[in-house]
Short mmCIF file of all heavy atoms in Angstrom, two decimals:
data_model
loop_
_atom_site.label_atom_id
_atom_site.label_comp_id
_atom_site.label_asym_id
_atom_site.label_seq_id
_atom_site.Cartn_x
_atom_site.Cartn_y
_atom_site.Cartn_z
N MET S 1 44.59 147.60 145.10
CA MET S 1 45.70 147.71 144.19
C MET S 1 45.20 147.85 142.75
O MET S 1 45.76 148.58 141.96
CB MET S 1 46.60 146.48 144.36
CG MET S 1 47.84 146.55 143.55
SD MET S 1 48.94 147.73 144.32
CE MET S 1 50.42 147.34 143.53
N LYS S 2 44.12 147.13 142.46
CA LYS S 2 43.58 147.16 141.10
C LYS S 2 43.03 148.55 140.76
O LYS S 2 43.23 149.05 139.65
CB LYS S 2 42.50 146.10 140.96
CG LYS S 2 42.00 145.93 139.56
CD LYS S 2 40.99 144.81 139.47
CE LYS S 2 40.50 144.66 138.06
NZ LYS S 2 39.49 143.61 137.95
N LYS S 3 42.36 149.17 141.72
CA LYS S 3 41.80 150.50 141.48
C LYS S 3 42.92 151.52 141.25
O LYS S 3 42.81 152.39 140.38
CB LYS S 3 40.94 150.93 142.67
CG LYS S 3 39.65 150.20 142.78
CD LYS S 3 38.85 150.71 143.95
CE LYS S 3 37.56 149.92 144.10
NZ LYS S 3 36.76 150.40 145.22
N TRP S 4 43.97 151.41 142.02
CA TRP S 4 45.10 152.33 141.87
C TRP S 4 45.70 152.20 140.46
O TRP S 4 45.99 153.19 139.82
CB TRP S 4 46.16 152.02 142.91
CG TRP S 4 47.39 152.86 142.76
CD1 TRP S 4 47.55 154.14 143.18
CD2 TRP S 4 48.59 152.50 142.10
NE1 TRP S 4 48.80 154.60 142.85
CE2 TRP S 4 49.45 153.59 142.17
CE3 TRP S 4 49.03 151.34 141.46
CZ2 TRP S 4 50.73 153.57 141.63
CZ3 TRP S 4 50.30 151.33 140.93
CH2 TRP S 4 51.12 152.44 141.02
N ARG S 5 45.88 150.98 140.01
CA ARG S 5 46.44 150.75 138.69
C ARG S 5 45.53 151.31 137.59
O ARG S 5 46.00 151.91 136.62
CB ARG S 5 46.68 149.26 138.46
CG ARG S 5 47.42 148.98 137.18
CD ARG S 5 47.73 147.54 137.01
NE ARG S 5 48.39 147.04 138.21
CZ ARG S 5 48.85 145.82 138.35
NH1 ARG S 5 48.72 144.96 137.37
NH2 ARG S 5 49.42 145.43 139.46
N GLU S 6 44.24 151.12 137.76
CA GLU S 6 43.30 151.65 136.76
C GLU S 6 43.35 153.18 136.72
O GLU S 6 43.32 153.77 135.65
CB GLU S 6 41.88 151.17 137.08
CG GLU S 6 41.66 149.71 136.82
CD GLU S 6 40.29 149.24 137.28
OE1 GLU S 6 39.52 150.07 137.83
OE2 GLU S 6 40.00 148.05 137.11
N ARG S 7 43.43 153.81 137.90
CA ARG S 7 43.53 155.28 137.93
C ARG S 7 44.83 155.75 137.28
O ARG S 7 44.86 156.71 136.53
CB ARG S 7 43.44 155.79 139.37
CG ARG S 7 42.03 155.85 139.89
CD ARG S 7 42.00 156.51 141.24
NE ARG S 7 42.50 155.49 142.20
CZ ARG S 7 43.01 155.76 143.38
NH1 ARG S 7 43.12 157.00 143.78
NH2 ARG S 7 43.42 154.80 144.17
N ARG S 8 45.89 155.04 137.56
CA ARG S 8 47.20 155.40 137.00
C ARG S 8 47.17 155.27 135.48
O ARG S 8 47.67 156.15 134.77
CB ARG S 8 48.26 154.47 137.60
CG ARG S 8 49.62 154.69 137.12
CD ARG S 8 50.35 155.56 138.09
NE ARG S 8 51.73 155.64 137.69
CZ ARG S 8 52.43 156.73 137.76
NH1 ARG S 8 51.89 157.80 138.26
NH2 ARG S 8 53.67 156.75 137.37
N GLU S 9 46.62 154.20 134.96
CA GLU S 9 46.52 154.01 133.51
C GLU S 9 45.62 155.06 132.88
O GLU S 9 45.90 155.54 131.79
CB GLU S 9 46.01 152.60 133.21
CG GLU S 9 47.03 151.51 133.50
CD GLU S 9 46.45 150.12 133.34
OE1 GLU S 9 45.24 150.00 133.06
OE2 GLU S 9 47.21 149.15 133.52
N ALA S 10 44.56 155.43 133.58
CA ALA S 10 43.67 156.46 133.05
C ALA S 10 44.38 157.79 132.96
O ALA S 10 44.23 158.54 131.98
CB ALA S 10 42.43 156.57 133.93
N LYS S 11 45.20 158.11 133.97
CA LYS S 11 45.96 159.36 133.94
C LYS S 11 46.96 159.37 132.79
O LYS S 11 47.11 160.37 132.09
CB LYS S 11 46.70 159.58 135.26
CG LYS S 11 45.85 160.06 136.38
CD LYS S 11 46.69 160.31 137.62
CE LYS S 11 45.85 160.73 138.79
NZ LYS S 11 46.66 160.95 139.99
N SER S 12 47.66 158.26 132.60
CA SER S 12 48.66 158.22 131.53
C SER S 12 47.98 158.31 130.16
O SER S 12 48.49 158.95 129.25
CB SER S 12 49.53 156.97 131.63
OG SER S 12 48.77 155.81 131.40
N ARG S 13 46.83 157.67 130.02
CA ARG S 13 46.09 157.78 128.75
C ARG S 13 45.64 159.22 128.52
O ARG S 13 45.72 159.74 127.41
CB ARG S 13 44.88 156.86 128.77
CG ARG S 13 45.12 155.56 128.04
CD ARG S 13 43.85 154.75 127.91
NE ARG S 13 43.85 153.77 128.99
CZ ARG S 13 42.93 153.63 129.92
NH1 ARG S 13 41.87 154.40 129.92
NH2 ARG S 13 43.02 152.73 130.87
N LYS S 14 45.17 159.86 129.58
CA LYS S 14 44.71 161.24 129.47
C LYS S 14 45.85 162.16 129.05
O LYS S 14 45.69 163.03 128.20
CB LYS S 14 44.12 161.70 130.81
CG LYS S 14 43.51 163.06 130.78
CD LYS S 14 42.91 163.43 132.13
CE LYS S 14 42.36 164.83 132.11
NZ LYS S 14 41.86 165.22 133.43
N ARG S 15 47.03 161.97 129.65
CA ARG S 15 48.19 162.78 129.28
C ARG S 15 48.56 162.59 127.82
O ARG S 15 48.89 163.53 127.12
CB ARG S 15 49.39 162.41 130.14
CG ARG S 15 49.47 163.16 131.40
CD ARG S 15 50.82 162.96 132.04
NE ARG S 15 50.75 163.34 133.42
CZ ARG S 15 51.49 162.85 134.38
NH1 ARG S 15 52.39 161.94 134.09
NH2 ARG S 15 51.36 163.26 135.61
N LYS S 16 48.57 161.36 127.38
CA LYS S 16 48.92 161.08 125.98
C LYS S 16 47.91 161.72 125.03
O LYS S 16 48.29 162.25 123.99
CB LYS S 16 48.99 159.58 125.74
CG LYS S 16 50.20 158.93 126.36
CD LYS S 16 50.19 157.45 126.13
CE LYS S 16 51.35 156.79 126.86
NZ LYS S 16 51.32 155.33 126.73
N GLU S 17 46.65 161.66 125.38
CA GLU S 17 45.62 162.24 124.52
C GLU S 17 45.71 163.76 124.49
O GLU S 17 45.48 164.38 123.47
CB GLU S 17 44.24 161.78 125.00
CG GLU S 17 43.98 160.31 124.75
CD GLU S 17 42.70 159.83 125.41
OE1 GLU S 17 42.02 160.65 126.08
OE2 GLU S 17 42.39 158.64 125.27
N GLU S 18 46.02 164.37 125.64
CA GLU S 18 46.11 165.82 125.71
C GLU S 18 47.38 166.33 125.05
O GLU S 18 47.46 167.48 124.64
CB GLU S 18 46.08 166.29 127.17
CG GLU S 18 44.74 166.13 127.83
CD GLU S 18 44.78 166.54 129.29
OE1 GLU S 18 45.86 166.93 129.77
OE2 GLU S 18 43.73 166.46 129.94
N GLY S 19 48.39 165.50 124.97
CA GLY S 19 49.64 165.91 124.35
C GLY S 19 50.46 166.85 125.22
O GLY S 19 51.11 167.75 124.72
N LYS S 20 50.40 166.66 126.53
CA LYS S 20 51.16 167.52 127.43
C LYS S 20 52.66 167.32 127.20
O LYS S 20 53.12 166.21 126.94
CB LYS S 20 50.84 167.21 128.89
CG LYS S 20 49.52 167.74 129.33
CD LYS S 20 49.35 167.54 130.83
CE LYS S 20 48.04 168.12 131.28
NZ LYS S 20 47.83 167.92 132.72
N TYR S 21 53.38 168.38 127.29
CA TYR S 21 54.82 168.36 127.11
C TYR S 21 55.45 168.77 128.43
O TYR S 21 55.50 169.94 128.77
CB TYR S 21 55.19 169.33 125.99
CG TYR S 21 56.53 169.11 125.39
CD1 TYR S 21 56.79 167.99 124.62
CD2 TYR S 21 57.56 170.02 125.58
CE1 TYR S 21 58.02 167.78 124.06
CE2 TYR S 21 58.79 169.83 125.03
CZ TYR S 21 59.02 168.71 124.27
OH TYR S 21 60.26 168.52 123.71
N GLY S 22 55.93 167.79 129.20
CA GLY S 22 56.39 168.05 130.54
C GLY S 22 57.88 168.31 130.64
O GLY S 22 58.61 168.36 129.64
N PHE S 23 58.30 168.48 131.86
CA PHE S 23 59.70 168.78 132.16
C PHE S 23 60.62 167.68 131.66
O PHE S 23 61.67 167.95 131.06
CB PHE S 23 59.85 168.97 133.67
CG PHE S 23 61.28 169.12 134.11
CD1 PHE S 23 61.95 170.30 133.89
CD2 PHE S 23 61.94 168.07 134.72
CE1 PHE S 23 63.27 170.45 134.28
CE2 PHE S 23 63.26 168.20 135.12
CZ PHE S 23 63.92 169.40 134.90
N TRP S 24 60.27 166.43 131.89
CA TRP S 24 61.14 165.33 131.48
C TRP S 24 61.19 165.18 129.97
O TRP S 24 62.20 164.74 129.42
CB TRP S 24 60.72 164.04 132.16
CG TRP S 24 60.98 164.11 133.64
CD1 TRP S 24 60.06 164.18 134.63
CD2 TRP S 24 62.26 164.19 134.27
NE1 TRP S 24 60.68 164.28 135.84
CE2 TRP S 24 62.04 164.29 135.67
CE3 TRP S 24 63.57 164.19 133.81
CZ2 TRP S 24 63.07 164.38 136.58
CZ3 TRP S 24 64.61 164.27 134.74
CH2 TRP S 24 64.35 164.36 136.09
N ASP S 25 60.12 165.55 129.30
CA ASP S 25 60.15 165.55 127.84
C ASP S 25 61.16 166.56 127.32
O ASP S 25 61.92 166.28 126.39
CB ASP S 25 58.77 165.87 127.27
CG ASP S 25 57.75 164.81 127.62
OD1 ASP S 25 58.12 163.61 127.69
OD2 ASP S 25 56.58 165.17 127.84
N VAL S 26 61.20 167.72 127.95
CA VAL S 26 62.16 168.76 127.57
C VAL S 26 63.58 168.28 127.85
O VAL S 26 64.49 168.45 127.02
CB VAL S 26 61.88 170.07 128.33
CG1 VAL S 26 62.97 171.08 128.09
CG2 VAL S 26 60.53 170.63 127.93
N MET S 27 63.79 167.67 129.01
CA MET S 27 65.13 167.18 129.35
C MET S 27 65.60 166.11 128.37
O MET S 27 66.76 166.11 127.96
CB MET S 27 65.13 166.61 130.79
CG MET S 27 64.94 167.66 131.85
SD MET S 27 66.11 169.03 131.77
CE MET S 27 67.62 168.20 132.14
N MET S 28 64.72 165.22 127.96
CA MET S 28 65.10 164.19 127.00
C MET S 28 65.44 164.81 125.65
O MET S 28 66.38 164.38 124.98
CB MET S 28 63.99 163.15 126.86
CG MET S 28 63.85 162.25 128.06
SD MET S 28 65.36 161.39 128.52
CE MET S 28 65.61 160.36 127.11
N ASP S 29 64.68 165.80 125.23
CA ASP S 29 64.98 166.48 123.98
C ASP S 29 66.35 167.14 124.03
O ASP S 29 67.11 167.07 123.07
CB ASP S 29 63.92 167.53 123.66
CG ASP S 29 62.65 166.91 123.12
OD1 ASP S 29 62.69 165.72 122.72
OD2 ASP S 29 61.63 167.61 123.07
N ILE S 30 66.66 167.77 125.14
CA ILE S 30 67.96 168.43 125.29
C ILE S 30 69.07 167.39 125.25
O ILE S 30 70.09 167.58 124.57
CB ILE S 30 68.01 169.25 126.58
CG1 ILE S 30 67.09 170.47 126.45
CG2 ILE S 30 69.43 169.67 126.91
CD1 ILE S 30 66.90 171.23 127.73
N LEU S 31 68.89 166.28 125.95
CA LEU S 31 69.92 165.24 125.98
C LEU S 31 70.14 164.61 124.61
O LEU S 31 71.23 164.16 124.29
CB LEU S 31 69.55 164.16 126.99
CG LEU S 31 69.68 164.57 128.46
CD1 LEU S 31 69.15 163.46 129.35
CD2 LEU S 31 71.12 164.88 128.79
N ILE S 32 69.12 164.61 123.79
CA ILE S 32 69.25 164.05 122.44
C ILE S 32 69.87 165.07 121.50
O ILE S 32 70.72 164.73 120.67
CB ILE S 32 67.88 163.57 121.93
CG1 ILE S 32 67.45 162.34 122.72
CG2 ILE S 32 67.93 163.27 120.44
CD1 ILE S 32 66.02 161.92 122.48
N TRP S 33 69.49 166.33 121.60
CA TRP S 33 69.93 167.35 120.63
C TRP S 33 71.33 167.88 120.89
O TRP S 33 72.01 168.30 119.95
CB TRP S 33 68.94 168.51 120.60
CG TRP S 33 67.82 168.22 119.67
CD1 TRP S 33 66.58 167.77 120.00
CD2 TRP S 33 67.83 168.33 118.26
NE1 TRP S 33 65.84 167.59 118.88
CE2 TRP S 33 66.57 167.94 117.79
CE3 TRP S 33 68.79 168.73 117.33
CZ2 TRP S 33 66.25 167.93 116.44
CZ3 TRP S 33 68.47 168.72 115.99
CH2 TRP S 33 67.22 168.33 115.56
N VAL S 34 71.79 167.91 122.13
CA VAL S 34 73.12 168.47 122.43
C VAL S 34 74.22 167.72 121.68
O VAL S 34 75.04 168.35 121.01
CB VAL S 34 73.37 168.52 123.95
CG1 VAL S 34 74.82 168.79 124.27
CG2 VAL S 34 72.48 169.58 124.57
N PRO S 35 74.28 166.40 121.72
CA PRO S 35 75.33 165.72 120.95
C PRO S 35 75.21 165.96 119.45
O PRO S 35 76.22 166.10 118.75
CB PRO S 35 75.13 164.24 121.27
CG PRO S 35 74.37 164.22 122.54
CD PRO S 35 73.54 165.46 122.54
N GLU S 36 74.00 166.04 118.96
CA GLU S 36 73.81 166.31 117.53
C GLU S 36 74.37 167.67 117.15
O GLU S 36 75.02 167.82 116.12
CB GLU S 36 72.33 166.24 117.16
CG GLU S 36 71.76 164.85 117.18
CD GLU S 36 72.30 164.01 116.05
OE1 GLU S 36 72.59 164.54 114.96
OE2 GLU S 36 72.45 162.81 116.26
N LEU S 37 74.11 168.68 117.98
CA LEU S 37 74.60 170.03 117.68
C LEU S 37 76.12 170.13 117.79
O LEU S 37 76.74 170.93 117.09
CB LEU S 37 73.93 171.04 118.60
CG LEU S 37 72.43 171.23 118.37
CD1 LEU S 37 71.85 172.16 119.43
CD2 LEU S 37 72.15 171.75 116.99
N ILE S 38 76.71 169.33 118.66
CA ILE S 38 78.17 169.36 118.79
C ILE S 38 78.83 168.65 117.61
O ILE S 38 79.84 169.11 117.08
CB ILE S 38 78.59 168.70 120.13
CG1 ILE S 38 78.15 169.59 121.29
CG2 ILE S 38 80.09 168.45 120.17
CD1 ILE S 38 78.31 168.96 122.65
N ILE S 39 78.27 167.57 117.16
CA ILE S 39 78.88 166.75 116.10
C ILE S 39 78.60 167.33 114.71
O ILE S 39 79.40 167.14 113.79
CB ILE S 39 78.37 165.31 116.21
CG1 ILE S 39 78.88 164.69 117.51
CG2 ILE S 39 78.81 164.46 115.03
CD1 ILE S 39 78.29 163.35 117.83
N LEU S 40 77.51 168.05 114.53
CA LEU S 40 77.11 168.54 113.21
C LEU S 40 78.20 169.33 112.49
O LEU S 40 78.46 169.05 111.31
CB LEU S 40 75.83 169.37 113.32
CG LEU S 40 75.30 169.95 112.01
CD1 LEU S 40 74.85 168.84 111.10
CD2 LEU S 40 74.18 170.93 112.28
N PRO S 41 78.87 170.31 113.09
CA PRO S 41 79.90 171.05 112.35
C PRO S 41 81.03 170.16 111.85
O PRO S 41 81.53 170.32 110.74
CB PRO S 41 80.42 172.07 113.35
CG PRO S 41 79.40 172.16 114.40
CD PRO S 41 78.67 170.87 114.42
N PHE S 42 81.45 169.19 112.65
CA PHE S 42 82.51 168.29 112.24
C PHE S 42 82.07 167.41 111.06
O PHE S 42 82.85 167.15 110.14
CB PHE S 42 82.97 167.41 113.41
CG PHE S 42 83.57 168.20 114.53
CD1 PHE S 42 82.88 168.35 115.72
CD2 PHE S 42 84.79 168.81 114.39
CE1 PHE S 42 83.43 169.08 116.76
CE2 PHE S 42 85.36 169.55 115.42
CZ PHE S 42 84.66 169.69 116.60
N ARG S 43 80.82 166.98 111.09
CA ARG S 43 80.30 166.19 109.97
C ARG S 43 80.26 167.01 108.70
O ARG S 43 80.59 166.52 107.61
CB ARG S 43 78.91 165.66 110.31
CG ARG S 43 78.93 164.56 111.32
CD ARG S 43 77.56 164.10 111.75
NE ARG S 43 76.63 163.91 110.65
CZ ARG S 43 75.33 163.75 110.82
NH1 ARG S 43 74.82 163.78 112.02
NH2 ARG S 43 74.54 163.58 109.79
N LEU S 44 79.85 168.27 108.80
CA LEU S 44 79.79 169.13 107.62
C LEU S 44 81.18 169.38 107.03
O LEU S 44 81.36 169.34 105.81
CB LEU S 44 79.11 170.45 107.96
CG LEU S 44 77.62 170.38 108.27
CD1 LEU S 44 77.11 171.74 108.70
CD2 LEU S 44 76.85 169.87 107.08
N VAL S 45 82.16 169.63 107.89
CA VAL S 45 83.53 169.84 107.40
C VAL S 45 84.05 168.57 106.73
O VAL S 45 84.66 168.62 105.66
CB VAL S 45 84.45 170.27 108.57
CG1 VAL S 45 85.91 170.23 108.18
CG2 VAL S 45 84.05 171.65 109.05
N TYR S 46 83.80 167.44 107.32
CA TYR S 46 84.22 166.16 106.74
C TYR S 46 83.59 165.95 105.35
O TYR S 46 84.28 165.58 104.40
CB TYR S 46 83.83 165.03 107.69
CG TYR S 46 84.02 163.66 107.11
CD1 TYR S 46 85.29 163.13 106.94
CD2 TYR S 46 82.93 162.88 106.73
CE1 TYR S 46 85.47 161.86 106.41
CE2 TYR S 46 83.09 161.62 106.20
CZ TYR S 46 84.36 161.12 106.04
OH TYR S 46 84.53 159.87 105.50
N LEU S 47 82.31 166.22 105.25
CA LEU S 47 81.63 166.05 103.95
C LEU S 47 82.15 167.04 102.91
O LEU S 47 82.28 166.70 101.73
CB LEU S 47 80.12 166.19 104.12
CG LEU S 47 79.46 165.06 104.90
CD1 LEU S 47 77.99 165.38 105.14
CD2 LEU S 47 79.59 163.74 104.15
N LEU S 48 82.46 168.27 103.32
CA LEU S 48 83.03 169.24 102.39
C LEU S 48 84.40 168.80 101.88
O LEU S 48 84.70 168.92 100.69
CB LEU S 48 83.12 170.62 103.04
CG LEU S 48 81.82 171.40 103.13
CD1 LEU S 48 82.03 172.67 103.94
CD2 LEU S 48 81.31 171.74 101.75
N PHE S 49 85.24 168.27 102.77
CA PHE S 49 86.55 167.77 102.35
C PHE S 49 86.39 166.62 101.36
O PHE S 49 87.12 166.53 100.37
CB PHE S 49 87.38 167.32 103.55
CG PHE S 49 88.10 168.44 104.23
CD1 PHE S 49 87.93 168.66 105.58
CD2 PHE S 49 88.94 169.29 103.52
CE1 PHE S 49 88.59 169.69 106.22
CE2 PHE S 49 89.60 170.33 104.14
CZ PHE S 49 89.42 170.54 105.50
N ARG S 50 85.44 165.74 101.63
CA ARG S 50 85.21 164.63 100.69
C ARG S 50 84.74 165.16 99.34
O ARG S 50 85.18 164.69 98.28
CB ARG S 50 84.16 163.68 101.26
CG ARG S 50 84.72 162.76 102.31
CD ARG S 50 83.72 161.73 102.73
NE ARG S 50 83.23 160.96 101.59
CZ ARG S 50 82.15 160.19 101.62
NH1 ARG S 50 81.46 160.09 102.71
NH2 ARG S 50 81.78 159.52 100.57
N LEU S 51 83.85 166.14 99.35
CA LEU S 51 83.33 166.72 98.12
C LEU S 51 84.44 167.35 97.29
O LEU S 51 84.58 167.07 96.10
CB LEU S 51 82.25 167.76 98.44
CG LEU S 51 81.73 168.57 97.25
CD1 LEU S 51 80.86 167.68 96.38
CD2 LEU S 51 80.99 169.78 97.73
N PHE S 52 85.26 168.19 97.95
CA PHE S 52 86.36 168.84 97.22
C PHE S 52 87.39 167.83 96.76
O PHE S 52 87.95 167.95 95.67
CB PHE S 52 87.01 169.92 98.09
CG PHE S 52 86.15 171.14 98.26
CD1 PHE S 52 85.94 171.67 99.52
CD2 PHE S 52 85.54 171.74 97.17
CE1 PHE S 52 85.14 172.79 99.68
CE2 PHE S 52 84.74 172.86 97.33
CZ PHE S 52 84.54 173.39 98.58
N GLY S 53 87.65 166.82 97.57
CA GLY S 53 88.59 165.77 97.16
C GLY S 53 88.11 165.04 95.92
O GLY S 53 88.88 164.79 94.99
N ARG S 54 86.85 164.73 95.86
CA ARG S 54 86.32 164.04 94.67
C ARG S 54 86.31 164.97 93.46
O ARG S 54 86.58 164.53 92.35
CB ARG S 54 84.91 163.54 94.95
CG ARG S 54 84.91 162.36 95.88
CD ARG S 54 83.54 161.80 96.06
NE ARG S 54 83.58 160.71 97.03
CZ ARG S 54 82.59 159.88 97.25
NH1 ARG S 54 81.46 160.03 96.58
NH2 ARG S 54 82.72 158.94 98.13
N MET S 55 86.02 166.24 93.69
CA MET S 55 86.02 167.19 92.56
C MET S 55 87.42 167.31 91.99
O MET S 55 87.61 167.28 90.77
CB MET S 55 85.50 168.55 93.00
CG MET S 55 84.01 168.61 93.19
SD MET S 55 83.35 170.15 93.84
CE MET S 55 84.38 171.40 93.22
N PHE S 56 88.43 167.45 92.84
CA PHE S 56 89.80 167.61 92.36
C PHE S 56 90.30 166.31 91.72
O PHE S 56 90.97 166.36 90.69
CB PHE S 56 90.73 168.03 93.50
CG PHE S 56 90.57 169.45 93.89
CD1 PHE S 56 90.40 169.80 95.21
CD2 PHE S 56 90.57 170.46 92.94
CE1 PHE S 56 90.26 171.12 95.59
CE2 PHE S 56 90.42 171.80 93.30
CZ PHE S 56 90.26 172.12 94.63
N SER S 57 89.98 165.17 92.28
CA SER S 57 90.47 163.92 91.70
C SER S 57 89.80 163.68 90.36
O SER S 57 90.45 163.20 89.42
CB SER S 57 90.22 162.75 92.65
OG SER S 57 88.85 162.47 92.76
N ASP S 58 88.52 164.02 90.21
CA ASP S 58 87.85 163.87 88.92
C ASP S 58 88.39 164.88 87.93
O ASP S 58 88.51 164.59 86.72
CB ASP S 58 86.33 164.04 89.07
CG ASP S 58 85.69 162.89 89.83
OD1 ASP S 58 86.33 161.82 89.91
OD2 ASP S 58 84.55 163.06 90.32
N GLY S 59 88.74 166.06 88.38
CA GLY S 59 89.29 167.10 87.50
C GLY S 59 90.66 166.70 86.96
O GLY S 59 90.97 166.95 85.80
N PHE S 60 91.48 166.06 87.77
CA PHE S 60 92.81 165.64 87.32
C PHE S 60 92.73 164.44 86.38
O PHE S 60 93.61 164.24 85.55
CB PHE S 60 93.70 165.32 88.52
CG PHE S 60 94.11 166.53 89.29
CD1 PHE S 60 93.93 166.57 90.67
CD2 PHE S 60 94.65 167.63 88.67
CE1 PHE S 60 94.30 167.68 91.41
CE2 PHE S 60 95.02 168.76 89.40
CZ PHE S 60 94.84 168.79 90.76
N ASP S 61 91.68 163.65 86.48
CA ASP S 61 91.52 162.51 85.58
C ASP S 61 91.23 162.96 84.17
O ASP S 61 91.58 162.28 83.20
CB ASP S 61 90.41 161.59 86.06
CG ASP S 61 90.79 160.83 87.33
OD1 ASP S 61 92.00 160.74 87.61
OD2 ASP S 61 89.88 160.33 88.01
N SER S 62 90.58 164.11 84.00
CA SER S 62 90.22 164.57 82.65
C SER S 62 91.38 165.27 81.94
O SER S 62 91.30 165.50 80.75
CB SER S 62 89.02 165.51 82.73
OG SER S 62 89.36 166.67 83.45
N ILE S 63 92.47 165.58 82.65
CA ILE S 63 93.61 166.27 82.02
C ILE S 63 94.44 165.30 81.23
O ILE S 63 94.74 164.25 81.42
CB ILE S 63 94.48 167.01 83.07
CG1 ILE S 63 93.66 168.12 83.69
CG2 ILE S 63 95.75 167.52 82.48
CD1 ILE S 63 94.37 168.89 84.78
#
């Protein structure tokens, strides 16, 4: 059992050192980026409304 564990740890160290980018790494990236890409347009519209709202409210204060 000890030899198996040592071989397994050696393989994982080797992968980390080589910087291999496997199938599961790609899947995790997709799972992380999809929600970001869906939410991004709504966040931008929200921020634009806030920006214009502040510009108009500051503009009316100076009148």
Side-chain angles (χ1 to χ4, degrees):
M1 186 74 165
K2 187 177 180 182
K3 288 181 182 181
W4 176 80
R5 187 176 308 184
E6 288 174 359
R7 280 187 284 158
R8 179 97 173 141
E9 289 173 357
K11 282 183 183 179
S12 66
R13 261 188 263 122
K14 185 178 177 183
R15 272 192 198 151
K16 287 178 185 176
E17 290 171 359
E18 289 177 359
K20 285 187 178 179
Y21 199 69
F23 173 75
W24 292 111
D25 295 326
V26 172
M27 292 305 294
M28 288 304 295
D29 283 345
I30 290 171
L31 288 174
I32 290 170
W33 275 99
V34 167
E36 289 290 327
L37 292 175
I38 292 171
I39 294 172
L40 180 67
F42 296 109
R43 287 175 45 193
L44 291 175
V45 169
Y46 171 73
L47 291 173
L48 282 173
F49 277 125
R50 282 187 56 195
L51 173 72
F52 288 131
R54 288 185 183 191
M55 284 175 32
F56 285 130
S57 69
D58 291 341
F60 289 129
D61 289 341
S62 64
I63 295 177

